[in-house]
Amino acid sequence: MSSLVRSDRAPATSPVVVRCGSDGACAVLAWRPRPIDDGSPAPEEENEDAALVHNDGRRTVVAVADGAGGHIGGAQASRLAIEVLADALQRSDDSTDLRPFILDAFERANVGIRTLDVNAGSTLAVAEFDGSRLRTYHAGDSEVLVVGQRGRQLYRTVSHGPTAYAVEAGVLHPDDALHHDERHVISSALGFDELRIELGRFERLPDRATVVVSSDGLTDNLTTDEIIAIVRRGPLLGAARKLVELAASRMADAAGEGPSKPDDLSLILYRPRADRETLAAAIDSAALTTPPSPGGSAGGARSGSAG
C-alpha cells in the first residue's frame, strides 16, 4: 500500500502517524509558512512538497519530494515524482530487490516532469528499509539523516549543491552554510537537464535509531545539532512537532541570529522500534487514502491515494 501525503492550505503541527512494520512507525508532517512581506508562500497556495509512505508488510519505503520552479509547477512536479515512485513500488510486488524499481521511478519521473513543460523540477529523497537495513536514494537537497539514541550522527546524505559540497570537503562550516548566499542553489533534481541519482549502500540500522527524511525547509532553518537533539529520544510525535515549531519560529524571525529561510517543510520521522505513545496513535497506511475529518488525528494534513 502506498499513500501520498500533502499539506493542507493552513499551517499544521499535528503529524500523521503510520505503522511501519511490526514494531516501527513513521510520523509524517507537511507544513507551510504564513505569508510575510518578503514574498514567502501565501496560505491559499499549495505546498510544493509531497511525501510518501509505502509499506508492503515486510519492507517500508518513505520519500519526500520538494517542487521547484513556481507554486503551480513545483507542486505538479513533486506530486508527479511521488506518484511515479508509488506506482513503481506497487509494481514491485514481492520482488527481492526494490533498487531497480526505485531507480526506474527516478528516471521516469525525470522524463515526466520535463514533459509537463512547466519549467519546474523536484528534489526526491528516498529511504528504503528492509528489516534492520537502510538504503538511501536522492537527487537534489532533500535529505536523509540517521541519528543514534545517544545523539550521534550515524549517516547523512550529501545534498547536490555547492554549499553542501563545500561542507563535505571541509572548506565550509555547516553552520556557516546555513547563512550562505548560495544555500538554495542545487545542481541536480528531477526535471533538470542534468540528473544525478545518488545511491547509498545498505547500512545496518540500530533498533533505537531515528531516521529523518525531509525537504530543505527543515535543514535550512535548523542546525544538524538541533535536529539531533530533538529526535534522538522521546516520543516520535513530540519530536516531529518540535522540529516544525522551531523551524517555523526561525522562518518568522529573519532578523534573528539563527538561520531563517521561509519555505514549505515536509518531514518523515521513522523508528524501527517506536515508543508506545506513537504506536498507540498509529494508523494503518490504508487509512491515508481517505482524507481525515477536520480535527482528526491528522490535524491540518490531508492525504490522497498515490497508487
Side-chain angles (χ1 to χ4, degrees), residues 203-222:
E203 303 280 349
R204 182 184 173 278
L205 188 65
D207 283 347
R208 302 295 180 181
T210 303
V211 181
V212 183
V213 184
S214 71
S215 62
D216 65 344
L218 178 69
T219 52
D220 278 350
N221 289 284
L222 274 66

Side-chain angles (χ1 to χ4, degrees), residues 27 40 73 79 127 131 142 180 189 210 250 266 270 295:
S40 63
R79 188 179 185 97
S142 292
H180 200 281
T210 303
R250 291 276 170 79
S266 292
Y270 169 84

Side-chain angles (χ1 to χ4, degrees), residues 143 145-147 151-156 167 174-175 178 212 218-231 243 250 259:
E143 295 190 23
L145 171 67
V146 184
V147 179
R152 192 161 65 95
Q153 177 180 309
L154 303 179
Y155 176 83
R156 185 174 189 172
V167 169
D175 292 351
L178 290 171
V212 183
L218 178 69
T219 52
D220 278 350
N221 289 284
L222 274 66
T223 67
T224 302
D225 287 344
E226 288 172 329
I227 296 172
I228 289 174
I230 290 172
V231 307
L243 287 175
R250 291 276 170 79

Side-chain angles (χ1 to χ4, degrees), residues 238-269:
R241 294 190 185 102
K242 288 177 183 177
L243 287 175
V244 172
E245 288 167 0
L246 180 54
S249 68
R250 291 276 170 79
M251 293 183 200
D253 186 20
E257 295 183 359
S260 179
K261 183 191 173 193
D263 197 2
D264 296 329
L265 189 165
S266 292
L267 63 86
I268 300 175
L269 302 184

